[in-house]
């Protein structure tokens, strides 16, 4: 009788422990995704309303130059990413993921409030664009440290057979944020006059984004830390010294992986501006692009992570990107020539599906190439460099390519090059990992 009771109690304890682990895992996934989602929401909203921001902060005689300056300011935020990656990433490796994640979401929110509340050029003169740049720099600094800490805690908290799925949720937060920004933009375009939307309505989405910050702060405060004392460095300087001495090549390969992905991501986020300025679609129709692309991307990001957990990381990284390289230009050219909104959106949705299916697995491959003790800072730095150099300049390059070549399909060529870069770098990382594992096995 006592033995039966003991067995029953042990089973109940194990069941409760299993529920607790599952609950902590889900909480970690949500906490990691929410900050990255907010980051991408801010960037998506800025890109979505770039034409309106240009008129408020950069009133130029040439509409093209005003738009180019507004998009350039969008890119300025990327300049602070490497510094944020080093400082906050090293802080995450030294003080833990939780502390770093709470700091990044707070800084990100402050930058968002600044953009939403700044008076325009008509009120502040030259100080208006200067303060806009400061806000974007603050957002970029926080985003630079956010991604490494978030990816690290999500993959470290996940069981061995669910790491792809875990990281895929961090990636899925990006298209979900894109979808939310597009839905809000669509509703505003439908409910407001063009004059009100241009003068003050574009500010509303920034304030909506700030509302998520208290929730994110609370959840991140109650996470289980994944960094153990044995992995902790004594100072940020010690972390940076180890990165410089040991991990230059893995950081370079991570940079190349993310560079190609960044070109893809900002190509798709550029589609609203493209639809308005190049295809001359009504804003209410163009604002639907992020909604459709976000829903597609979120579904395929999660599917890609689960497929990688079951069938391996190599195929999921290579096959979708090869397909994208082959079909991108003819499909996009046909979509723009058709003058059909349905064909255009369907084509972009297909391209997004191929990109997002392998995005999470590529991020996992890169992050997994570093040991836990430097993972947050090393991945943050590689990610920041890739996004800064290639993502930060992408929309400027797209706009300039269309303007100077006269070819509305020219940005797709840049997207194809980006996909080739990512494939080559991912295969190099996987090959290096395979050799290291073989060497360990040989030495017994």
């Amino acid at each position: 009788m006592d033995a039966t009771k003991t067995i029953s109690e042990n089973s109940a304890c194990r069941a409760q422990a299993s529920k607790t682990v599952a609950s902590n895992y889900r909480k970690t996934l949500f906490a990691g995704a929410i900050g990255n989602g907010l980051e991408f929401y801010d960037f998506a909203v800025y890109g979505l309303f770039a034409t309106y921001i240009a008129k408020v902060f950069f009133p130029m005689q040439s509409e093209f130059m005003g738009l180019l300056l507004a998009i350039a300011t969008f890119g300025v935020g990327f300049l602070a990413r490497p510094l944020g990656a080093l400082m906050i990433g090293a802080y995450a490796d030294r003080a833990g993921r939780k502390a770093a994640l709470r700091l990044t979401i707070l800084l990100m929110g402050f930058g968002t409030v600044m953009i939403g509340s700044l008076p325009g050029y008509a009120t502040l003169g030259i100080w208006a664009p200067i303060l806009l740049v400061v806000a974007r720099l603050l957002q970029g600094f926080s985003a630079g440290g956010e991604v490494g800490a978030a990816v690290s805690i999500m993959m470290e908290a996940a069981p061995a057979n669910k790491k792809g799925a875990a990281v895929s949720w961090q990636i899925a937060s990006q298209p979900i944020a894109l979808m939310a920004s597009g839905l809000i933009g669509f509703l505003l375009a439908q409910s407001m006059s063009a004059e009100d939307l241009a003068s003050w309505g574009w500010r509303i989405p920034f304030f909506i984004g700030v509302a998520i910050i208290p929730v994110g702060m609370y959840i991140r405060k109650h996470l289980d830390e994944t960094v153990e004392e044995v992995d902790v460095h004594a100072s940020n300087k010690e972390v940076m010294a180890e990165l410089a001495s040991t991990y230059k090549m893995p950081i370079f390969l991570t940079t190349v992986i993310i560079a190609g992905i960044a070109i893809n991501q900002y190509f798709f986020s550029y589609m609203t501006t493209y639809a308005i300025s190049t295809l001359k679609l009504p804003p209410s129709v163009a604002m639907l692009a992020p909604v459709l692309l976000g829903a597609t991307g979120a579904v395929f990001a999660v599917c890609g992570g689960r497929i990688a957990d079951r069938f391996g990381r190599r195929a999921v990284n290579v096959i979708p990107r090869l397909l994208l390289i082959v079909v991108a230009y003819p499909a996009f050219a046909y979509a723009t020539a058709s003058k059909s909104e349905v064909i255009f959106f369907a084509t972009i949705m297909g391209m997004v599906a191929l990109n997002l299916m392998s995005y999470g697995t590529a991020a996992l491959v890169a992050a997994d190439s570093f040991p836990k003790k430097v993972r947050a800072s090393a991945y943050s730095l590689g990610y920041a460099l890739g996004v800064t150099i290639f993502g930060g300049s992408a929309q400027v390059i797209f706009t300039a390519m269309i303007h100077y070549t006269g070819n509305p399909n020219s940005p797709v060529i840049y997207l194809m090059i980006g996909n080739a870069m990512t494939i080559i770098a991912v295969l190099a990382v996987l090959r290096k990992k395979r050799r290291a594992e073989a060497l360990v096995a040989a030495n017994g």
Side-chain angles (χ1 to χ4, degrees):
M1 187 76 171
D2 289 341
T4 303
K5 183 179 179 181
T6 301
I7 292 172
S8 177
E9 289 175 348
N10 288 341
S11 298
C13 287
R14 285 195 296 270
Q16 183 59 43
S18 178
K19 288 181 180 179
T20 301
V21 170
S23 175
N24 289 337
Y25 171 57
R26 288 192 296 269
K27 184 168 64 177
T28 301
L29 293 189
F30 183 72
I34 196 171
N36 194 62
L38 178 62
E39 170 209 339
F40 207 79
Y41 172 85
D42 289 340
F43 291 172
V45 165
Y46 191 102
L48 199 63
F49 292 97
T51 53
Y52 304 110
I53 292 173
K55 293 175 182 177
V56 173
F57 291 93
F58 304 98
M60 309 286 291
Q61 288 185 346
S62 167
E63 184 176 335
F64 166 72
M65 286 305 299
L67 177 60
L68 198 62
L69 284 172
I71 293 174
T73 302
F74 174 86
V76 162
F78 292 89
L79 297 178
R81 278 177 177 258
L83 180 60
L86 278 175
M87 299 300 295
I88 301 177
Y91 180 60
D93 285 329
R94 179 176 63 81
R97 316 307 192 207
K98 286 174 57 177
L101 288 173
R102 291 171 64 193
L103 174 62
T104 56
I105 199 169
L106 192 63
L107 292 175
M108 208 176 297
F110 188 71
T112 303
V113 169
M114 281 186 67
I115 294 178
S117 58
L118 275 176
Y121 192 93
T123 302
L124 294 182
I126 191 62
W127 281 104
I130 290 175
L131 290 173
L132 181 65
V133 168
V134 170
R136 289 290 298 124
L137 288 172
L138 183 60
Q139 285 185 322
F141 180 82
S142 61
E146 161 75 25
V147 67
V151 167
S152 295
I153 198 170
M154 292 170 83
M155 68 174 289
E156 289 161 6
N161 64 339
K162 291 185 178 180
K163 292 188 181 296
V167 175
S168 74
W169 278 107
Q170 195 261 359
I171 304 305
S173 68
Q174 297 183 8
I176 290 172
L178 185 66
M179 181 170 57
S181 69
L183 183 60
I184 292 169
F186 174 75
L187 293 174
L188 289 175
Q190 290 283 37
S191 61
M192 300 180 67
S193 67
E195 293 75 18
D196 286 343
L197 188 61
S199 64
W200 59 271
W202 63 268
R203 298 178 185 272
I204 295 173
F206 289 99
F207 290 113
I208 292 175
V210 173
I212 199 67
I213 299 221
V215 178
M217 286 290 291
Y218 177 81
I219 294 172
R220 290 182 168 192
K221 181 180 179 181
H222 294 88
L223 288 178
D224 291 333
E225 182 58 70
T226 58
V227 175
E228 300 167 3
E229 190 173 344
V230 68
D231 295 316
V232 173
H233 291 78
S235 66
N236 282 18
K237 184 178 180 180
E238 187 179 302
V239 178
M240 295 178 194
E242 187 165 352
L243 293 182
S245 63
T246 310
Y247 298 102
K248 289 191 288 291
M249 181 53 70
I251 290 173
F252 170 76
L253 291 174
T254 297
T255 300
V256 178
I257 289 172
I258 298 302
I261 292 172
I263 292 171
N264 279 261
Q265 291 297 92
Y266 291 100
F267 174 85
F268 298 126
S269 67
Y270 179 72
M271 285 300 98
T272 298
T273 301
Y274 179 89
I276 294 173
S277 61
T278 303
L279 299 183
K280 307 302 180 184
L281 296 181
S284 59
V285 174
M287 294 294 182
L288 280 175
V291 179
L292 297 173
L293 303 187
T296 303
V299 170
F300 279 88
V302 175
C303 288
R306 293 188 175 184
I307 292 170
D309 284 333
R310 184 165 184 180
F311 298 106
R313 302 172 185 178
R314 182 186 178 94
V316 179
N317 268 294
V318 174
I319 295 174
R321 295 204 178 277
L322 282 177
L323 286 173
L324 190 50
I325 291 172
V326 171
V327 306
Y329 194 92
F332 192 80
Y334 174 74
T336 55
S338 70
K339 305 298 183 183
S340 167
E341 298 161 5
V342 174
I343 293 175
F344 175 74
F345 286 134
T347 300
I348 301 303
M349 287 167 67
M351 294 168 67
V352 165
L354 292 173
N355 175 52
L356 266 294
M357 184 178 289
S358 62
Y359 185 178
T361 312
L364 176 60
V365 166
D368 201 27
S369 66
F370 303 103
K372 183 185 289 188
K373 62 181 180 177
V374 296
R375 180 173 291 137
S377 52
Y379 180 74
S380 285
L381 182 57
Y383 182 94
L385 290 172
V387 171
T388 297
I389 298 169
F390 292 89
S393 61
Q395 294 205 7
V396 176
I397 291 174
F398 296 149
T399 304
M401 286 176 75
I402 293 170
H403 181 76
Y404 291 112
T405 67
N407 179 5
N409 305 316
S410 55
V412 184
I413 298 171
Y414 197 41
L415 177 139
M416 295 164 66
I417 293 171
N419 280 285
M421 291 166 56
T422 296
I423 290 173
I424 293 169
V426 163
L427 290 177
V429 172
L430 290 174
R431 183 167 58 250
K432 185 176 180 181
K433 184 177 179 64
R434 209 165 45 244
R435 288 175 178 174
E437 291 172 347
L439 184 61
V440 170
N443 293 334

